Amino acid sequence: MTAEHTAGVGDVSVPPVPPTLRRDLEAVLMVVDQPVSEYDLARAMDVPLDLVTRALEELSREYTAQGRGFDLRAVADGWRVYTRPECADIVEHFLKEGQEVRLTQAALETMAVVAYRQPVSRGRVSAVRGVNCDGVMRTLVLRGLIEEAGHDPESGALLYRTTSYFLERLGLRGLDELPDLAPFLPDDIEGLDDTGEHT
């Protein structure tokens, strides 16, 4: 009997997960920097929750079976793509030793906003630059130039600040030695919420 047979009385047929849903979930999970819940994914994609759950579980099993360098894991707050633990050494080596290249213009601009407005959320950094900075922020964290600095007491947004490694790379003893660039940054950033919208 094939998988496409007509279900008998009392049987409940389970529709397959559409390839487009798997594709869309992968696309979203590649850009989030914190776990996202099944409910939020289902709502955003306007599909049933159980279908999203099955798709995520299928993707997770598939990545493991294929021996990918990344893993899709369900954690307390939702699902997120992580580097596999067995790849940690090579990733660390690449980031610390194999990436002795200049930062991109986007990374330099993002770094400047964090340096002068810290502690600052990703939403506010994106608002200043006028583009989504999630990917650049992740790169700067991985390179050890910025780090998490708690949460904003009002919005709950994750805040970022520069690290001692940042000061070391710039040859500074402290943030007070940064050039006076703050006047060139928008004054109304303080009126923006975590998403970059004006409050």
Side-chain angles (χ1 to χ4, degrees), residues 84-161:
R84 289 197 182 276
E86 53 267 37
C87 299
D89 290 344
I90 189 64
V91 170
E92 182 177 0
H93 176 75
F94 174 77
L95 292 173
K96 290 187 176 179
E97 305 295 336
Q99 281 287 287
E100 291 299 323
V101 295
R102 293 179 181 274
L103 291 174
T104 64
Q105 184 66 30
L108 288 171
E109 292 173 5
T110 302
M111 187 80 259
V113 176
V114 174
Y116 285 96
R117 291 292 187 174
Q118 62 183 302
V120 65
S121 69
R122 287 180 297 104
R124 292 190 178 191
V125 174
S126 296
V128 171
R129 291 201 56 233
V131 295
N132 186 299
C133 296
D134 291 356
V136 178
M137 294 283 283
R138 281 197 300 274
T139 298
L140 294 173
V141 169
L142 288 172
R143 291 213 188 170
L145 294 168
I146 65 174
E147 63 185 0
E148 296 180 1
H151 292 82
D152 185 290
E154 294 182 4
S155 68
L158 188 58
L159 300 175
Y160 294 87
R161 65 185 173 207

Side-chain angles (χ1 to χ4, degrees), residues 7 16 25 35 49 53 58 61 75 77 99 105 165 169 178 197:
L25 286 170
L49 180 62
T53 300
E58 284 182 12
R61 288 192 298 268
V75 293
D77 298 325
Q99 281 287 287
Q105 184 66 30
Y165 179 64
R169 295 297 291 177
L178 284 170
E197 297 294 329

